[in-house]
Amino acid sequence: MATSKQPTRVRFAPSPTGLTHLGSARTALYNFLLAKQTGGKFFLRIEDTDQKRYDPNAEQDLISSLKWLGLAWDEGPDVGGPHGPYYQSKRKDIYRKHAEELIEKGKAFYCFCTTEELKVVREGQQKRHEQPHYSGKCRIIPVDEAKQRAKNGESHVVRFKAPKDGSITVADKLRGAITVENSQIDDMVLLKSDGHAVYHLAAMVDDHLMEISHVLRSEEWLPSLPLHAHIYEAFGWQQPIWVHLSVFLKPSGKGKMSKRETEQMRLTGQSIFVKDFADLGYLPEGVVNWIALMGWSFDDHTEFFTMADLVEKFDIESLNPSPAAIDFKKLDHFNGLHIRALPQKELAKRLVPYFKKAGFEVDAGQLMPIIPIIQTRVTTLDEGPELAGFFFKEEIAPPVEMLVGKDMSAEQSARAVRKGVEILEVLPEFSAANAEAPMRAVAEEFGLKAGQFFGILRNAVTGQEISPPLFESMEIVGRDTVLARLKRGLDELEKISKNPEPPQTTLKK
RNA sequence: GCCCCCAUCGUCUAGAGGCCCAGGACGUGGCCCUUUCAAGGCUAAAACCGGGGUUCGAAUCCCCGUGGGGGCACCA
């Protein structure tokens, strides 16, 4: 059980280079869950050591995305904490110090090779179908000489002195032991010539300093895990538990989402960016439930999870190492589930912005009466105004063809509606319960199926062929408005009834 | 080209040698309910990538193929 576990210290460490997408969201979620269920700590660390790729909007997007999802961090930007700063760009000195420590230990070296030089070597290796590796040229420069050159201002980087012989076995929680020949591991750059650390150094140092116990990160890091293990070893530190999460595939299951496909997707009302889901009418609860289950499962029959459920039930043992295709149909399903699980007041509150966006100036209180009849009928919040906007419209003016009943003539339709109006006008109390029976009677009197007659009423009152239940809707709209809309429809019907060439009644919708 | 990872219905998955002629969920079809649309209930079709082993017995273990994914930067 969760309480028996040691408190875990985990982190989510994105680089602010673009909008936060589903894959990142899930990584953050799993980290968050692991921390919460053990009473541990969840760190947010911004990996912004790449000046060139830095995008100032990305950080704001990241923070609002995580907040929207309900993933609050214990230490990080905004909230601070004892392990700061939480921006790697502000930890330059720390990395420099650690790089020097490695040089002292003979585990790293200064490299003065130019980018052009490196490029030539690499191209030669590629031509020979070899795995591109650093040539080793600067490895053999005596340390004192190298230090002097560096001190003299010669442009340089610091590289890791990767072992050349033997092999290393690393452990990934989901995949077990992975053994790699050391000859495969390159002398990677640790410190760039601009003095900033590269991920391989910065993340290891930070994870150690922040006492991270479990590293849950994307699978694309798996190939560099052996390198990272060597770096830990070089420092003499104890490694965290490594967990590499599978990647998300595009809906077809064939490959990762490309930039172009991502754009294409947004055109069709889908997105992989967290910030878009609110606009599309999704609940954070729905999105969280959805992504939690992409790569993790609890048991055979539980699929509805609140954040609290997930905190209680999540476990890294049940993580699935194989890649998962994104399925937006499933998101709709979960979103519907969570909409239906929302207390009515809460749903009303959440619907307000969508009604406003659709041009209806309403507040949650005004929405309350319609909640019971739309709650099971919307899968996304933006469907609210679509389905129930008519409650708040001054005028409903459906085209007259919509007012002609199925398989009926305009005259027949008009007669039935006229009768309906007469009855509704004098109903002692205008309620769904009181209206339905007499309206059924009208249908019967005219030899109509209930659906035929009700369809006319629905179209006249709501202006929609698809609506919440008719009589409940009429009750909420209120007698005066219902009668006004009905009479307007009646006028329209009578107008075309006098037309010498009435439109074909079979012409519908 | 080299290295690493993965492999059950269309999709997400359960399954840790006999409980599986493989279970659940989404989606799809049908039926019920029904004034429309949903929701709900019932139901159907739908999968162990291939080949070799190991074993009395394999979806489950091993090997080889194949397929898919990831990586091979002074990006993360």
Side-chain angles (χ1 to χ4, degrees):
Chain A
M1 208 52 242
T3 46
S4 66
K5 290 178 187 166
Q6 288 297 308
T8 56
R9 299 170 64 86
V10 294
R11 86 311 194 268
F12 177 54
S15 66
T17 56
L19 298 176
T20 302
H21 54 82
L22 291 174
S24 299
R26 189 194 54 173
T27 301
L29 172 66
Y30 287 169
N31 273 292
F32 172 84
L33 295 175
L34 200 54
K36 292 301 128 183
Q37 74 176 189
T38 58
K41 287 258 187 293
F42 176 49
F43 291 71
L44 177 62
R45 191 174 70 216
I46 309 295
E47 311 225 320
D48 57 348
T49 54
D50 187 352
Q51 318 282 55
K52 295 179 286 276
R53 294 204 309 156
Y54 180 77
D55 174 0
N57 300 319
E59 187 187 326
Q60 197 38 58
D61 174 74
L62 169 78
I63 290 181
S64 57
S65 292
L66 292 180
K67 285 187 173 167
W68 184 75
L69 290 166
L71 308 177
W73 47 98
D74 300 300
E75 287 189 34
D78 263 24
V79 301
H83 297 81
Y86 298 91
Y87 292 85
Q88 289 189 330
S89 58
K90 293 182 183 156
R91 298 172 68 83
K92 219 171 160 179
D93 291 344
I94 299 174
Y95 305 134
R96 167 113 245 158
K97 214 188 87 217
H98 281 87
E100 281 164 4
E101 181 185 332
L102 251 25
I103 290 170
E104 291 309 317
K105 288 179 163 169
K107 307 282 191 183
F109 60 96
Y110 291 102
C111 172
F112 303 93
C113 295
T114 63
T115 328
E116 294 70 40
E117 248 177 288
L118 262 23
K119 199 177 148 203
V120 171
V121 172
R122 183 162 44 235
E123 281 168 357
Q125 289 166 332
Q126 281 167 342
K127 214 168 288 170
R128 277 172 271 126
H129 298 307
E130 291 167 13
Q131 183 162 14
H133 266 12
Y134 176 63
S135 66
K137 186 182 168 197
C138 297
R139 245 190 185 235
I140 50 170
I141 300 173
V143 189
D144 292 339
E145 183 192 326
K147 263 191 205 166
Q148 196 49 244
R149 285 170 67 178
K151 203 184 275 174
N152 292 345
E154 194 173 335
S155 178
H156 66 278
V157 299
V158 174
R159 285 181 182 273
F160 185 61
K161 200 179 269 183
K164 290 290 154 230
D165 305 315
S167 63
I168 183 171
T169 298
V170 292
D172 172 75
K173 184 80 182 161
L174 307 186
R175 298 158 237 268
I178 299 166
T179 301
V180 175
E181 295 299 318
N182 282 335
S183 61
Q184 296 297 325
I185 302 167
D186 203 2
D187 292 343
M188 295 301 289
V189 169
L190 261 24
L191 228 47
K192 296 184 266 189
S193 54
D194 67 0
H196 277 290
V198 136
Y199 178 92
H200 300 125
L201 205 225
M204 300 313 113
V205 168
D206 289 345
D207 287 345
H208 175 255
L209 261 21
M210 293 173 184
E211 298 168 67
I212 298 302
S213 63
H214 294 66
V215 171
L216 275 67
R217 57 173 11 179
S218 157
E219 192 186 354
E220 60 202 42
W221 289 112
L222 197 53
S224 39
L225 177 56
L227 199 227
H228 296 162
H230 271 129
I231 292 174
Y232 262 89
E233 224 164 79
F235 278 115
W237 296 336
Q238 210 205 332
Q239 289 176 53
I241 292 171
W242 302 104
V243 184
H244 292 87
L245 272 11
S246 65
V247 294
F248 282 166
L249 270 25
K250 51 189 166 187
S252 65
K254 302 250 179 256
K256 285 213 296 191
M257 207 80 70
S258 75
K259 255 232 167 80
R260 224 191 78 199
E261 288 161 328
T262 304
E263 291 305 312
Q264 199 67 30
M265 181 167 277
R266 295 176 86 173
L267 263 34
T268 64
Q270 291 176 333
S271 174
I272 58 163
F273 297 120
V274 174
K275 74 181 258 285
D276 290 330
F277 285 91
D279 276 348
L280 293 171
Y282 293 103
L283 262 34
E285 290 93 329
V287 174
V288 164
N289 198 153
W290 178 49
I291 58 178
L293 257 18
M294 294 174 65
W296 175 79
S297 60
F298 179 62
D299 61 23
D300 225 6
H301 52 270
T302 314
E303 54 152 15
F304 180 90
F305 292 95
T306 62
M307 189 67 93
D309 295 334
L310 290 170
V311 166
E312 188 196 329
K313 295 179 170 143
F314 178 74
D315 67 305
I316 48 180
E317 319 293 328
S318 302
L319 252 17
N320 191 145
S322 51
I326 297 170
D327 182 358
F328 289 98
K329 285 273 175 50
K330 204 133 191 174
L331 169 60
D332 284 340
H333 172 248
F334 283 122
N335 206 61
L337 247 32
H338 280 93
I339 282 182
R340 278 168 252 139
L342 243 31
Q344 296 192 0
K345 269 193 173 160
E346 180 63 21
L347 214 211
K349 208 178 93 193
R350 298 214 203 179
L351 241 13
V352 168
Y354 296 87
F355 274 85
K356 287 197 167 155
K357 204 167 89 186
F360 301 106
E361 275 309 315
V362 297
D363 58 33
Q366 289 167 279
L367 251 21
M368 275 308 282
I370 68 171
I371 297 299
I373 57 174
I374 68 168
Q375 188 155 23
T376 61
R377 278 169 245 270
V378 293
T379 49
T380 52
L381 295 175
D382 60 328
E383 287 169 11
E386 236 168 78
L387 183 68
F390 70 89
F391 284 111
F392 307 102
K393 281 184 188 156
E394 289 299 318
E395 203 132 324
I396 295 292
V400 70
E401 312 86 74
M402 261 178 83
L403 301 172
V404 177
K406 193 167 185 286
D407 297 325
M408 294 166 66
S409 67
E411 288 84 350
Q412 275 179 295
S413 303
R415 274 200 300 277
V417 171
R418 194 177 304 115
K419 180 74 185 215
V421 168
E422 283 166 14
I423 294 171
L424 292 174
E425 264 175 335
V426 299
L427 221 50
E429 195 199 337
F430 192 78
S431 69
N434 286 352
E436 180 164 351
M439 290 304 105
R440 278 189 192 282
V442 171
E444 202 172 323
E445 180 187 333
F446 286 85
L448 302 171
K449 281 197 262 181
Q452 286 178 292
F453 181 46
F454 292 180
I456 302 173
L457 298 180
R458 178 190 317 284
N459 292 350
V461 173
T462 71
Q464 301 169 190
E465 298 197 319
I466 293 170
S467 83
L470 177 60
F471 297 105
E472 279 86 343
S473 296
M474 294 201 328
E475 178 178 334
I476 296 166
V477 169
R479 180 179 345 228
D480 293 347
T481 306
V482 166
L483 288 175
R485 291 178 183 180
L486 250 24
K487 283 175 181 165
R488 184 205 161 274
L490 188 54
D491 284 347
E492 295 292 309
L493 283 169
E494 282 174 341
K495 252 184 252 165
I496 61 164
S497 298
K498 289 181 190 123
N499 193 311
E501 277 182 284
Q504 279 201 268
T505 51
T506 49
L507 164 126
K508 36 164 260 194
K509 298 156 213 184

